[in-house]
Amino acid sequence: MDRIDRLREEIARRESELADLKSQLAIAEAARTTPLEPKDDPSWPWPLRHDEYQRYGRQMVVPGFGLQAQLRLKRSSVLIVGAGGLGCPAAAYLAGAGIGTLGLVDADEVEASNLHRQIAHSTGREGMSKVLSAVTYLRDLNPTIRYKTHQEHLTPRNAQDIVSQYDLVLDCTDHPTSRYLISDICVLLSKPLVSASAFQTSGQLAVLNNPPGKGACYRCLFPKPPPPESVVGCGEGGIVGPVVGVMGVLQALEAIKLVVHGLLDKPAGDAEKVERPEQGQGQQRMLIFNAMGDGPSFRSVRLKGRRSGCLACSDESELTLDRLRTSIDYVQFCGVARPVDVLEPHERITAKEYDNVRSSGVPHLLLDVREREHFSIGSMPGAINVPISCFNRREELPEVAGKDGPIYVVCRLGNDSQLAVRKLRERGFDDGNRFVGDITGGVKAWRDTVDPRLPFL
């Protein structure tokens, strides 16, 4: 089995390297073999190339769209920050629609856990830069447009240089620090922003800073960031793939609407201008998506507009490009969730120490306080599932009541288990005659040090 595992790892590594080389080759070839534009070919009398009429014909014949909308798309540039669950579908539909220049920003690499929802990546490109993986996919979809890659995180130091190259920005990230930074730089550079989020089975979408200098920004909606301990990522809380796909597609649609309705003030040529919609401008709204609720899947709420005194976009704002680059610490502003540390060392044991307890045959209770979905995927031998939410709601704990012997509590990483131990003691389960404590590092530590076969997410 060891030899099989080594061979599989070697194959995966080489496939990743090959995919990386293919992507670099595609980028180099595209730069060298850009199709001849109509303006460079006197014998061609039409504003688009022959292949573009074939490629985009189905959307150009849509009433209210037409040739001028396609020309606007071709002359526009869009930046997607985040090549993950939102960025992949957004990029795919923008590339398919014929956006002239599509930029992607991301410093992460493709992981197996991405593949159920991040449709531009593949198993063969695990370990590859997400930006290069996405461009590899997009070039197969549409090799006729220009792709710009930024294999780095967007930071206060590089934000101006990157964002200034584009007409419009899509925030496809998943953390408050990124959202505030992206919104701020879009305000400073007068770029409309299409922002979306998705978590578990729900999502939100809003077009911000539109029109630039008049529309509300992200800080207007959320002047204060959420408490850091409340920010739960997909790894902990989960995400249903089509949910994030829906939100990414809607981001692409909003971007296309901004371009083809002429809201970016991009010239479409000497022909008749695209007719702009008469309603909805200046009325910013947030679209809320609920995939699995009993009510309507979509609902829309009206936003209040720019907030007086907003740090970024109000008339009194002192935010500048220099201050953003040198003085604003977005991590400090949003806070960092510190590991829970409420138990004394003698109230905790390691996974290996608990393994010795289990092997000794001493009667005891092992409570796994992860939510039922995590518990169902894989659990430690003999564990009883009592989710932490039961403790928080002060529900009765029949699994513990009337039982004798030590109580060991385990969670995913060793944070909730400490809180559960405290609550057990508050309820009197620690009568001074038995041990009530937790397992340091949680189920992950058990998997890493005792049983590597245990499934863990």
Side-chain angles (χ1 to χ4, degrees), residues 24-350:
Q24 294 181 44
L25 175 62
I27 292 171
E29 287 180 338
R32 187 181 61 185
T33 59
T34 302
L36 191 66
E37 292 294 329
K39 62 183 177 57
D40 300 321
D41 183 3
S43 66
W44 182 256
W46 310 108
L48 293 175
R49 300 190 306 268
H50 180 270
D51 64 290
E52 291 174 318
Y53 285 98
Q54 298 299 314
R55 180 177 290 273
Y56 308 122
R58 295 297 186 273
Q59 68 188 25
M60 285 196 289
V61 297
V62 172
F65 198 93
L67 172 64
Q68 298 307 312
Q70 194 62 51
L71 291 174
R72 287 184 180 274
L73 289 172
K74 184 173 182 177
R75 292 167 181 167
S76 296
S77 57
V78 175
L79 176 67
I80 295 177
V81 186
L86 294 168
C88 286
Y93 277 94
L94 289 175
I99 287 289
T101 300
L102 190 59
L104 292 96
V105 181
D106 204 313
D108 292 341
E109 296 179 346
V110 178
E111 300 177 356
S113 61
N114 303 147
L115 300 178
H116 85 287
R117 67 192 184 282
Q118 299 182 14
I119 59 171
H121 309 311
S122 68
T123 302
R125 295 199 291 272
E126 285 183 42
M128 183 178 179
S129 158
K130 280 190 177 181
V131 166
L132 291 181
S133 173
V135 170
T136 300
Y137 169 86
L138 296 170
R139 286 196 182 282
D140 281 341
L141 176 66
N142 188 353
T144 69
I145 68 175
R146 183 187 182 196
Y147 298 98
K148 299 176 71 172
T149 60
H150 307 275
Q151 298 177 62
E152 55 190 319
H153 291 301
L154 196 73
T155 69
R157 289 171 295 281
N158 64 20
Q160 179 182 359
D161 290 340
I162 293 176
V163 174
S164 61
Q165 303 175 45
Y166 301 90
D167 303 316
L168 171 67
V169 178
L170 272 60
D171 181 354
C172 299
T173 63
D174 60 359
H175 197 275
T177 54
S178 300
R179 296 190 182 281
Y180 284 103
L181 168 61
I182 295 168
S183 176
D184 287 352
I185 192 63
C186 285
V187 169
L188 290 171
L189 297 178
S190 298
K191 309 292 184 181
L193 171 62
V194 183
S195 178
S197 63
F199 181 65
Q200 294 181 342
T201 61
S202 62
Q204 296 180 343
L205 172 77
V207 179
L208 305 174
N209 197 39
N210 179 51
K214 297 181 180 179
C217 72
Y218 190 78
R219 288 185 185 271
C220 294
L221 275 59
F222 306 102
K224 296 181 179 180
E229 62 273 11
S230 70
V231 179
V232 180
C234 292
E236 182 79 23
I239 180 70
V240 176
V243 173
V244 73
V246 167
M247 303 314 298
V249 170
L250 289 173
Q251 281 185 283
L253 180 59
E254 291 297 329
I256 290 172
K257 285 164 58 178
L258 285 171
V259 174
V260 302
H261 289 154
L263 302 184
L264 296 182
D265 198 28
K266 298 292 291 184
D270 297 331
E272 182 181 357
K273 292 185 177 181
V274 175
E275 193 173 310
R276 301 188 183 194
E278 295 181 359
Q279 297 180 347
Q281 293 192 42
Q283 298 180 358
Q284 288 180 285
R285 306 187 71 85
M286 175 177 287
L287 181 69
I288 300 174
F289 176 53
N290 186 353
M292 297 185 178
D294 295 332
S297 296
F298 291 94
R299 61 189 180 92
S300 177
V301 296
R302 185 171 181 176
L303 303 179
K304 292 183 178 180
R306 293 178 68 186
R307 184 175 59 87
S308 175
C310 174
L311 174 69
C313 71
S314 68
D315 294 336
E316 303 81 24
S317 171
E318 297 180 358
L319 182 65
T320 64
L321 290 169
D322 183 65
R323 183 183 175 194
L324 181 145
R325 186 170 50 252
T326 61
S327 304
I328 298 183
D329 187 333
Y330 288 90
V331 174
Q332 182 181 30
F333 172 69
C334 294
V336 177
R338 294 181 174 86
V340 176
D341 185 19
V342 299
L343 299 183
E344 298 295 330
H346 68 272
E347 299 172 307
R348 316 191 73 190
I349 66 171
T350 67

Side-chain angles (χ1 to χ4, degrees), residues 317-441:
S317 171
E318 297 180 358
L319 182 65
T320 64
L321 290 169
D322 183 65
R323 183 183 175 194
L324 181 145
R325 186 170 50 252
T326 61
S327 304
I328 298 183
D329 187 333
Y330 288 90
V331 174
Q332 182 181 30
F333 172 69
C334 294
V336 177
R338 294 181 174 86
V340 176
D341 185 19
V342 299
L343 299 183
E344 298 295 330
H346 68 272
E347 299 172 307
R348 316 191 73 190
I349 66 171
T350 67
K352 287 188 175 181
E353 288 172 336
Y354 173 74
D355 188 37
N356 293 333
V357 171
R358 188 178 67 89
S359 300
S360 70
V362 175
H364 65 278
L365 287 176
L366 174 61
L367 304 182
D368 188 327
V369 298
R370 295 176 298 165
E371 294 301 319
R372 304 191 190 283
E373 293 78 11
H374 277 274
F375 183 80
S376 68
I377 291 170
S379 60
M380 294 166 56
I384 299 171
N385 187 214
V386 185
I388 189 67
S389 55
C390 295
F391 292 83
N392 296 335
R393 293 193 296 265
R394 299 195 63 81
E395 295 183 6
E396 295 296 326
L397 302 175
E399 300 88 349
V400 186
K403 306 295 194 305
D404 296 323
I407 301 176
Y408 300 93
V409 184
V410 69
C411 65
R412 184 170 179 263
L413 297 174
N415 294 318
D416 285 344
S417 58
Q418 297 185 63
L419 302 178
V421 167
R422 284 295 189 202
K423 293 181 182 295
L424 285 171
R425 290 178 175 171
E426 291 172 2
R427 297 191 187 192
F429 289 106
D430 177 16
D431 55 9
N433 297 321
R434 63 175 175 179
F435 175 84
V436 179
D438 85 321
I439 299 174
T440 306

